[in-house]
Amino acid sequence: MKQAHLRCNVVAEKILMSNFENANSPVPASAKSPRVWDFLETTLIGLVAYGAFLLTAGLGLFVLILAQYGTIPIAHVEFEGRWQGAGLVFGSPAAVAVLWVSVRKLDRDFSEYLALNWPSSRELFLAFAITAVILIVEGYFRAFVGADTSWIAPSLNVQGRGGLLTFLIGCCLAAPIMEEFIVRGFLFRGWSQSFFGPVGAIVLTSVVWALNHTQYDWSDRFCIFVFGLALGYFRWRSNSTWLTVLVHSAMNIISSFMIGPYV
């Protein structure tokens, strides 16, 4: 009996020691939460991405304009629609490359981190329906406040079909992809998982996006801010940055064809 009792005590002690060791053992890497850049790191990387865009776009335009004119007549060409489009095409890949390197530093998948998931047909329909309502309301708002449209005139100077195509590719394809990858993809990911939370991230990304459009007056920036809130909501509810890219691109296409004619 005593031997049986001793054996039971030994077994019980082994079980207790095993449980204690398991409780204090490190959590497997697969069970840990995936790493995310914190608020300040996300902000800094976003600024670097925009800086890479501006630098690459500027250098690309410098070489292209110098090759065509033999000089740099900035006063005449920097705001022309064709050069705007070319700048967006040149600069966007550099910005996306910065994001890709930053995400890979975390050993995270780029498409997963930026939520590059294809939206459902229902999500697409709802997003476009909401966007249509926003467009109608914004039209009435701009008419009510007498919005300044003088910024449009230089964009209409595209110098032919090739220039128009470059302008449309830059504004309706390159810009939506680059901006949505940075703002609703990368910035939203980091800021929404910080102290701001998803709602705070939606508001903050909308503010940053509106302020970044320096060519517009206050009324246009306010409209951009409101549209940014809608895009942020789409991104949050659908977990799809591709959805915001599609809606953003559609909005730019509509705007581009509404402001014509081009020369």
Side-chain angles (χ1 to χ4, degrees):
M1 291 292 293
K2 288 182 179 180
Q3 291 179 346
H5 181 69
L6 288 173
R7 281 197 296 270
C8 288
N9 287 340
V10 170
V11 171
E13 288 177 1
K14 288 182 178 180
I15 292 173
L16 289 173
M17 287 298 294
S18 176
N19 290 338
F20 179 78
E21 290 172 356
N22 289 335
N24 290 277
S25 61
V27 179
S30 59
K32 295 180 180 178
S33 298
R35 277 197 65 198
V36 177
W37 293 113
D38 65 26
F39 178 83
L40 291 178
E41 292 168 338
T42 297
T43 304
L44 178 60
I45 294 170
L47 290 173
V48 172
Y50 269 118
F53 162 75
L54 293 174
L55 178 62
T56 310
L59 290 175
L61 285 178
F62 179 85
V63 172
L64 187 63
I65 295 171
L66 187 63
Q68 178 162 344
Y69 292 98
T71 183
I72 307 295
I74 297 297
H76 301 288
V77 302
E78 67 173 341
F79 295 117
E80 288 183 6
R82 56 175 174 161
W83 302 122
Q84 290 181 30
L88 290 167
V89 171
F90 286 142
S92 294
V96 175
V98 170
L99 301 182
W100 187 86
V101 171
S102 301
V103 172
R104 295 304 300 157
K105 284 286 185 181
L106 299 176
D107 292 325
R108 296 281 298 270
D109 181 72
F110 182 72
S111 61
E112 180 270 330
Y113 194 90
L114 266 63
L116 300 181
N117 309 306
W118 197 250
S120 67
S121 56
R122 181 176 181 275
E123 289 167 341
L124 274 171
F125 175 79
L126 288 175
F128 281 123
I130 293 172
T131 302
V133 173
I134 292 174
L135 272 173
I136 294 171
V137 174
E138 285 186 356
Y140 283 108
F141 172 75
R142 285 191 172 95
F144 177 76
V145 300
D148 179 22
T149 58
S150 59
W151 61 270
I152 296 176
S155 299
L156 302 178
N157 186 4
V158 295
Q159 299 294 316
R161 296 176 181 176
L164 177 58
L165 180 61
T166 302
F167 174 74
L168 293 177
I169 291 175
C171 292
C172 303
L173 184 61
I177 292 176
M178 182 268 294
E179 291 183 350
E180 293 305 317
F181 276 25
I182 294 178
V183 179
R184 252 70 60 174
F186 188 83
L187 294 182
F188 183 84
R189 170 69 72 184
W191 290 350
S192 66
Q193 295 186 230
S194 70
F195 54 89
F196 268 96
V199 175
I202 290 173
V203 175
L204 186 57
T205 52
S206 300
V207 170
V208 169
W209 190 49
L211 293 177
N212 190 50
H213 289 76
T214 56
Q215 69 270 40
Y216 303 129
D217 66 4
W218 71 268
S219 60
D220 283 317
R221 288 190 184 186
F222 176 75
C223 291
I224 292 172
F225 168 74
V226 172
F227 184 43
L229 293 177
L231 290 175
Y233 174 77
F234 300 155
R235 162 67 178 84
W236 180 29
R237 292 305 300 268
S238 68
N239 191 35
S240 172
T241 302
W242 278 126
L243 176 60
T244 66
V245 170
L246 291 172
V247 175
H248 187 167
S249 179
M251 177 73 88
N252 284 10
I253 290 172
I254 293 171
S255 299
S256 296
F257 281 99
M258 286 178 64
I259 65 175
Y262 295 91
V263 294

